Amino acid sequence: MPDTPLHAQTAAALSALLDAKKISATELARALLERTRAVEPRVRALNSLDETAVLQQAAASDARRAANAPLSPLDGIPVALKDIIAARDQPLTASSKILANYVSPYDATVTRKLRDAGAVLWGRCNMDEFAMGSSTENSATQTTLNPYDLARVSGGSSGGSAAAVAAGEAPLSLGSDTGGSIRQPAAFCNTVGLKPTYGLVSRHGLAAFASSLDQIGPFARTVADAALLLNTIAGHDGHDSTSLNRPHPDYPAALNDNLPPQKIGIPKEYFGEGLDPEVAAAVEAVAKFYETRGHALREISLPHTKFALSVYYILSTAECSSNLARYDGIRYTSRSPRATDAVDLYAKTRAEGFGPEVKRRVILGTYVLSSGFHDAYYLRAQKVRTLIRNDFINAFKDVDVILTPTSPTPAFKLGEKSANPLAMYLSDIYTIGVNLAGLPALSIPAGFTKSGLPIGAQLIGRPLQEAPLLQTAHAYDLAHHHGLTPPNL
Ligand code: GLN
C-alpha cells in the first residue's frame, strides 16, 4: 500500500518494505517517533519512551539487513510493551507510585525473545495500576484516552497497549490478561487482542498480579500481525514453572491452511441482560458471516457463567494479596521517608505507594485467605473454578470454537464507572471465564456503532488450539479488515 503512511501500515506490510529495502528501520522509527509526538499528548498511551534506545536498535537492525541477515520477519519492527513487562535498563512502573523509580535489571523472557527476533522495543504502555482495572483510570500516571473518541476510556488494564496500536504509535504491542485485560481494551480500541492458553507464553519478567490467571499476549491491527507476534513470544521457558514444554506450530504459516468447516458455539448465557443492542447485532452479524461461509452455528450453554465474576474476585484478590506482599519498601520499591521503625516502614510505604483499587484488592484477598474464611471463600471458589472449566470442556465436545461479545458495551465515558467498582468489574463479564478455564481467546474488530465506537467479537478456542482459532478469526478479518479503519486523530 504505497500511499498509506508508515504509521498506518501493518507489521507484515512494513516487514515486506524492509525486506525489499524500500525503507530502513531507522526511517520507520523516525516516522513513528514523529507520529507518536503528534498524537501522544491527546491519547496518553505511553508512560515513557526511550528515543535513544529506539534509534540504536533501529540502526542495529539496518546493519543486519544491509548484511542480508535479518533475524526474523520482525527485525526492525517496533513493539511497545505494557509497563509491567521487564526490559533491561528500562523503567517498570506497573503505573504505580510504589515502582515510580524502579529500573529493571533484566529482560522478561518475551522481551528477550523480541530482542532475539530483532524487534525494536518501543515505549512503555500505560495501564491500570498492577493491571487491576478496566479503563486505565486506576493508573497512578495518567488515563489513556480512546483514540476513536477522546471523551471515552481505552479500556484496561492494557489500555495503553491497545491505544498505542490504534493510534499508529506502533504496529504491535504486548499486554497482559488476567481477566480480560487484553481483549476488552482491544475491543474498545478496534484492535486484535489475543490471550494465549495459560502456559503458552512465559510469565517470567511479568510483574505478577494473579499467577494462576496471568498471560502475556499480542495486540495488532490484523489477525495476521497478531499471529506473527505470537509466534515470536510463545514457547517453553525454564524460568516459568507453569510454562508448557511442547512445541508450538508456526502460527503465520497456519493462516494459509485451508480452514475446514467449523462448528461455532454461541453460549446463550452471554447474550442476556446488560448487553448493548448494537454490540449484540454486530456479534450476530459475525455469526451470520461464518454461516454464509459454510460453518455451522450451534446454541450452547455454559451454565456456571453466573459464578465467574465472584470466583474471579476471590481467587485473583487472594493471589494478588500474596504477590504484592513483596512491595515492602525494603527491596526494590520506593520507601516512605516518614517511617519510624521497620513495621512502620512496611505500613507507610504500602499506604503511600498503592492506590485505592490495589488496596481494596489486597484487603479483600487477605480476608478470603484468613483462617476461618479460607475454606468458605478460597477453597469453594477453587471448586467452582473447576465447574466453570468443565462447562467449556463439555461445550468443546460439540463445537470447535465459541463466539461471544468481548464486552457488554462499547467504550464507556471517562469517569462513568470509576466511582462504582462493581459496575467496572461487570465490564469483564464475558472475558473472565476464559482465564479461569485457562483457554485461548481473542477479540477481533467487528465494526462500529452508529456513533463510530469500535465493537469487538470474542472467539474462544480449545486449549493450545491457537492455530485454528487464529485461522477462524483470520477468515473474518480478511473479509472485513475493520482494524484497518484508523481513528480520526
Ligand atoms: N479488569 C479485570 C480486573 O480488574 C481484569 C484485569 C486484568 O485482566 N489484568 O481485575
Side-chain angles (χ1 to χ4, degrees):
M1 285 181 279
D3 296 335
T4 311
L6 292 180
H7 72 254
Q9 306 248 17
T10 63
L14 293 169
S15 181
L17 290 173
L18 289 165
D19 266 351
K21 304 208 168 22
K22 295 209 169 110
I23 57 167
S24 69
T26 302
E27 275 161 11
L28 174 58
R30 287 195 192 283
L32 294 186
L33 286 173
E34 197 179 312
R35 170 71 178 176
T36 301
R37 269 182 227 116
V39 297
E40 185 57 20
R42 276 167 289 153
V43 177
R44 304 180 205 152
L46 303 180
N47 284 343
S48 58
L49 172 60
D50 183 342
E51 295 197 12
T52 312
V54 161
L55 291 171
Q56 275 166 1
Q57 294 172 82
S61 170
D62 283 333
R64 286 190 295 270
R65 285 196 183 264
N68 288 320
L71 296 169
S72 84
L74 286 189
D75 205 329
I77 304 287
V79 181
L81 300 186
K82 185 175 183 178
D83 202 359
I84 194 167
I85 299 172
R88 198 181 51 244
D89 298 335
Q90 295 292 318
L92 185 161
T93 72
S95 288
S96 179
K97 272 204 318 219
I98 212 161
L99 286 175
N101 302 314
Y102 179 73
V103 173
S104 175
Y106 74 108
D107 275 343
T109 297
V110 292
T111 308
R112 184 186 47 73
K113 284 176 180 259
L114 286 172
R115 287 195 208 270
D116 290 348
V120 173
L121 301 180
W122 202 251
R124 312 272 316 157
C125 300
N126 187 38
M127 51 184 282
D128 287 293
E129 183 177 4
F130 283 104
M132 297 171 198
S134 307
S135 68
T136 76
E137 291 166 298
N138 296 337
S139 166
T141 323
Q142 57 190 340
T143 296
T144 300
L145 308 181
N146 192 308
Y148 288 83
D149 180 347
L150 297 170
R152 291 177 187 264
V153 302
S154 55
S157 65
S158 313
S161 304
V165 168
E169 298 183 10
L172 299 171
S173 66
L174 290 181
S176 64
D177 191 313
T178 306
S181 275
I182 291 175
R183 291 158 287 154
Q184 184 257 26
F188 282 12
C189 293
N190 199 35
T191 59
V192 176
L194 169 72
K195 184 208 87 81
T197 306
Y198 184 77
L200 181 68
V201 176
S202 168
R203 293 180 296 108
H204 175 67
L206 169 72
F209 162 12
S211 307
S212 79
L213 301 160
D214 298 341
Q215 268 292 286
I216 295 174
F219 285 90
R221 281 184 225 114
T222 62
V223 172
D225 273 9
L228 202 58
L229 185 49
L230 180 66
N231 223 37
T232 309
I233 60 170
H236 180 244
D237 178 20
H239 291 305
D240 174 357
S241 63
T242 61
S243 166
L244 296 169
N245 191 359
R246 49 171 104 180
H248 65 82
D250 186 309
Y251 300 110
L255 294 186
N256 300 322
D257 293 348
N258 226 358
L259 178 66
Q262 300 287 299
K263 279 186 229 135
I264 301 178
I266 319 260
K268 59 173 192 246
E269 291 83 0
Y270 283 55
F271 288 83
E273 204 191 322
L275 177 60
D276 179 284
E278 285 189 281
V279 175
V283 178
E284 277 154 25
V286 175
K288 264 255 138 5
F289 164 82
Y290 284 115
E291 202 173 27
T292 57
R293 286 286 173 104
H295 304 289
L297 304 179
R298 291 260 169 90
E299 189 184 271
I300 59 165
S301 174
L302 300 168
H304 296 94
T305 298
K306 54 182 175 296
F307 303 120
L309 209 61
S310 316
V311 168
Y312 172 84
Y313 277 97
I314 292 171
L315 298 181
S316 67
T317 57
E319 293 183 28
C320 111
S321 81
S322 139
N323 273 326
L324 270 58
R326 73 191 68 173
Y327 304 107
D328 56 7
I330 303 296
R331 283 163 286 188
Y332 34 71
T333 52
S334 62
R335 182 177 290 187
S336 172
R338 281 167 286 279
T340 49
D341 57 29
V343 174
D344 195 41
L345 177 67
Y346 294 145
K348 287 216 169 73
T349 295
R350 290 166 68 81
E352 291 163 16
F354 288 142
E357 183 62 27
V358 173
K359 286 180 188 157
R360 179 175 6 247
R361 307 256 183 138
V362 169
I363 291 167
L364 256 172
T366 308
Y367 178 78
V368 300
L369 287 175
S370 57
S371 87
F373 297 106
H374 178 276
D375 289 6
Y377 293 109
Y378 182 74
L379 205 64
R380 242 172 143 189
Q382 291 287 23
K383 292 177 180 169
V384 183
R385 178 178 188 172
T386 303
L387 296 177
I388 291 168
R389 182 174 162 81
N390 288 346
D391 277 358
F392 283 102
I393 291 172
N394 285 334
F396 282 124
K397 288 181 186 148
D398 295 325
V399 299
D400 301 305
V401 53
I402 295 173
L403 170 68
T404 78
T406 305
S407 172
T409 66
F412 42 88
K413 292 215 171 78
L414 293 163
E416 193 178 318
K417 297 187 201 268
S418 44
N420 183 348
L422 282 180
M424 188 72 88
Y425 296 174
L426 276 169
S427 92
D428 298 312
I429 188 106
Y430 301 142
T431 47
I432 271 170
V434 163
N435 299 75
L436 292 169
L439 303 170
L442 85 176
S443 180
I444 43 170
F448 297 87
T449 64
K450 281 189 204 76
S451 57
L453 297 175
I455 297 174
Q458 175 174 239
L459 288 167
I460 307 168
R462 295 192 175 104
L464 291 173
Q465 295 305 302
E466 275 79 0
L469 181 66
L470 286 161
Q471 258 188 296
T472 308
H474 185 56
Y476 177 86
D477 199 31
L478 264 188
H480 299 84
H481 271 324
H482 294 300
L484 297 181
T485 302
N488 200 352
L489 275 171

